[in-house]
């Protein structure tokens, strides 16, 4: 069993304190996600960090509410904005996102209809149980948000590889362009 954590005060600016694990996702970790495979392969030469996830030291266990701050660096791959891998919670568990800095969006997909929630500092995005979710940086500065989720939610990444996310988010003349796929 996971040892209990005490009540705590967590602060953040660029970092989260006290901090738990920090996860770094590079371009090479995003295989099979961008539509333009040639552009993705070309980007592997530099293999930039696409996003980082800093977590609080709260265990992923039933009854707990872990938090994490994701920072998605700006950029595009063949016109498609930098984004997270995306996942669905294997258990029916909701999640809350709060926009902290930069601009982006929360893409939701229940396997049937995709939904797009534009995110900016102060926006709360709600992910109901049963909806896969991915975050996208649609601006030219880092997009950062806080996530809070039930500790027993789990993460299924293969679901997104199998089912997609309903939309691709591309850079358009008048802002983000949602292209069905
Ligand atoms: O709990 C969440 O949904 C987020 O903290 C994500 O895990 C984070 O944004 C990284 O995305 P992903 O887990 O899809 O790589
Ligand atoms: Ni989640």
């Amino acid at each position: 069993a996971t040892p209990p954590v005490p009540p705590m005060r967590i602060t953040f600016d660029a970092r989260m304190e006290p901090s738990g694990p920090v996860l770094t996702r590079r371009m090479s970790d995003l295989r099979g996600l961008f539509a333009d495979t040639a552009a993705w392969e070309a980007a592997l030469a530099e293999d930039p960090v696409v996003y980082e996830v800093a977590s609080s030291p709260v265990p992923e266990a039933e009854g707990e509410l872990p938090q994490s701050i994701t920072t998605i660096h700006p950029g595009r791959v063949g016109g498609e904005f930098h984004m997270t891998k995306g996942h669905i919670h294997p258990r029916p568990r909701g999640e809350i996102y709060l926009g902290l800095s930069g601009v982006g969006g929360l893409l939701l997909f229940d396997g049937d209809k995709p939904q797009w929630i534009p995110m900016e500092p102060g926006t709360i995005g709600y992910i109901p149980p049963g909806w896969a979710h991915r975050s996208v940086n649609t601006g030219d500065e880092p997009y950062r948000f806080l996530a809070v989720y039930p500790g027993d939610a789990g993460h299924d990444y293969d679901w997104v590889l199998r089912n997609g996310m309903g939309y691709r988010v591309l850079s358009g003349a008048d802002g983000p362009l949602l292209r069905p796929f």
Side-chain angles (χ1 to χ4, degrees):
T2 325
V5 291
M8 69 181 101
R9 177 177 188 269
I10 294 163
T11 57
F12 58 84
D13 43 37
R15 297 169 303 158
M16 190 175 231
E17 282 183 349
S19 67
V22 180
L23 192 88
T24 299
R25 296 272 196 222
R26 293 184 175 273
M27 194 60 76
S28 52
D29 297 312
L30 305 182
R31 176 183 295 277
L33 298 180
F34 292 101
D36 189 336
T37 310
W40 175 75
E41 275 169 6
L44 293 182
E46 290 200 7
D47 201 15
V49 172
V50 178
Y51 63 99
E52 289 143 287
V53 187
S55 299
S56 67
V58 174
E60 290 192 323
E62 186 179 357
E64 300 279 4
L65 287 171
Q67 313 104 53
S68 59
I69 292 177
T70 301
T71 304
I72 308 178
H73 298 285
R76 290 167 228 174
V77 176
E80 205 172 350
F81 285 117
H82 277 188
M83 60 189 181
T84 60
K85 290 175 75 168
H87 62 267
I88 193 165
H89 301 153
R91 292 228 169 91
R93 300 288 184 267
E95 183 162 6
I96 291 166
Y97 283 7
L98 169 65
L100 298 176
S101 61
V103 292
L106 170 55
L107 179 59
L108 297 154
F109 189 44
D110 64 355
D112 179 31
K113 273 177 74 101
Q115 296 259 347
W116 174 249
I117 298 177
M119 295 285 295
E120 57 181 36
T123 307
I124 294 173
Y126 178 59
I127 302 158
W131 288 76
H133 41 289
R134 161 178 287 162
S135 295
V136 185
N137 184 341
T138 57
D140 46 25
E141 59 178 292
Y143 164 53
R144 181 174 288 133
F145 62 95
L146 173 77
V148 186
Y149 57 99
D152 63 349
H155 297 80
D156 182 351
Y157 293 97
D158 286 341
W159 189 95
V160 169
L161 287 171
R162 286 197 314 270
N163 300 286
M165 283 298 300
Y167 285 142
R168 292 193 175 281
V169 188
L170 300 150
S171 168
D174 310 309
L177 207 74
L178 303 174
R179 195 214 285 151
F181 81 106

